[in-house]
Amino acid sequence: MENVIGVDIGTTSVKTVLYDEKGKVKGYSNDGYTLYQDTADMAEEDPEEIFSAMIQGLQNVLKKVDPKKDTLKGISYSCAMHSLILLDENHKPLTRAITWADNRAVDYSEELKKNGIGMELYKKTGVPTHPMSPLVKSIWLRNEKPELFKKARYFVGVKEYINYKLFGVLKEDYSIANATGLFNIFDMDWDDEALKVAGIKRDQLPELVDTTYQLKGLNEKYAQMIGIDKDTPFVIGASDGPLANLGVDAIKPGVVAVTIGTSGAVRVVTDKPRIDPKGRVFCYYLAKNMWVVGGPVNNGGIVFRWVRDQLCLPEKVTAEQMNIDAYDLLTEIASKIPAGSEGLIFLPFLGGERAPIWDADARGTYFGLTRKHTRAHMIRAALEGIVYNLYTVMLALEEVVGEPKSIQATGGFARSELWRQMLADIFEQDVNIPESFEGTALGAATLGMYSLGMINSLYDVSQFVGVTNTHKPNPKNYKAYRELIPIYIRLSRHLQPEYKNIANYQREHENDWKTGPKDED
């Protein structure tokens, strides 16, 4: 039987999945690495740790291949967007991988918004102005670390660095390139104006290729280390967001993918690039005649983790004593509270926010607290706040691509019945939960199968994906949400002028809080 491996290089781990030709999972490995956050707003990874994790994952799943019965047709990638690594002339890293979650370039992002350059570039690149993008990171590095910037010979992302180690060539797929903010989605090439703003030359960037491009001629050392033939093709693949849509079969017109993992996103596929006049949503390439329009949010399941660890320590301890999952206990507690949390609203901006407000300084807020509200209300309000924010992304998306026809929902939250129903009620849409395992890795594998001639069309992914649950909106609940969502939207906008002020205060005094108060003379 023919097999293919989907490799999903994420923010904190590499997920490696071995599939057979029918999309059935035969092997799985999840290999983690550190997200370095040494200073305020920093979020970096060590590219060598990522490389080692990927090698380990491939070794693990290949143990499931029977050489007498199975043929490994190829390996295909997904990778997190927006990473940036500076390399010297010998292709050695001068920096760690600066990830999408790094906010140190926030001041330069704000300047691009104020002077109008950010919007002009967005209209050509499809990438909203935000410190996540390598474009803005490059401006920050050029100004804040000029000597380091001058030493750089190449500017690449995580996937490009890994492929250079494996194959000795610098190539970048259209999808990852699209997410840099340096790529013109209408010309399908690096954008001259964006390069000028970033201070980067064309010859400092990898060669551009389509997402179905096959890399061959694997370094003999790594071929032996992994345990595969050096002629095994590696399909360069795409970025994680677009591939997540593919992996849950949300690629037909009007089918929306809503994902809540650590972070979250709302995305829909269109047949051509589309731009939002207000700059609220992204537009990223997946494959020929397939573009993914949507918005990512920083604050998904990570908010629920904060609720568990900071607000609900007694419940967490109780769950440990009862040998049950703390999240299951908290959702059970939240389910006792009526929809709308009796007028308690939570703005879930604990880590700044991307779509739809694109404000790295945004901060979280409980609004409407009264003496009657309990910790249970605060739990439910936090869960609702995450979905409210995703719904505001959907509202922006509707202006660009029209109303959704159906929703495919995935991510860690999908195992919670409460959260699935909440999504259906707030969006007022039927919500389907696909049974596909590791949707992003499946998306990578499907793209690989298409490149390798194992399937005739990317739409064949539907044969690999089923539905385990369908939730319909509850009229009683969505009536409450209809009243509260406008308040949520107005509140988030009214507070925006103060986000930068409170964020600056927190940055200025962060060291004071770490060391404690000091005596004054």
Side-chain angles (χ1 to χ4, degrees), residues 212-334:
T212 53
Y213 181 85
Q214 296 178 19
L215 293 153
K216 297 180 180 178
L218 180 63
N219 182 294
E220 186 69 46
K221 178 178 72 172
Y222 295 121
Q224 293 180 7
M225 187 181 296
I226 297 169
I228 58 175
D229 189 284
K230 66 181 181 62
D231 293 324
T232 302
F234 280 57
V235 178
I236 199 165
S239 55
D240 55 354
L243 285 173
N245 268 59
L246 176 59
V248 299
D249 194 21
I251 56 175
K252 298 181 182 71
V255 180
V256 177
V258 177
T259 304
I260 308 178
T262 303
S263 55
V266 182
R267 301 176 301 266
V268 65
V269 173
T270 67
D271 61 352
K272 61 183 179 181
R274 296 176 186 268
I275 297 299
D276 174 21
K278 299 177 184 178
R280 294 165 297 177
V281 299
F282 60 64
C283 181
Y284 296 144
Y285 182 83
L286 170 56
K288 186 178 180 181
N289 299 324
M290 286 188 179
W291 296 82
V292 176
V293 182
V297 301
N298 289 354
N299 301 285
I302 198 168
V303 172
F304 200 12
R305 184 189 307 169
W306 173 80
V307 169
R308 180 196 67 181
D309 295 343
Q310 305 301 332
L311 297 186
C312 297
L313 187 58
E315 290 82 358
K316 184 179 178 182
V317 171
T318 298
E320 290 173 352
Q321 292 172 342
M322 297 174 63
N323 196 29
I324 60 175
D325 187 274
Y327 292 122
D328 291 343
L329 177 60
L330 294 181
T331 53
E332 175 64 23
I333 293 170

Side-chain angles (χ1 to χ4, degrees), residues 1 27 41 93 127 130 143 197 281 332 334 345 367 394 415 489:
M1 182 170 281
D41 294 325
V127 182
H130 189 272
N143 285 275
V197 171
V281 299
E332 175 64 23
I345 294 174
F367 178 78
M394 186 68 248
R415 66 189 182 93
I489 293 172

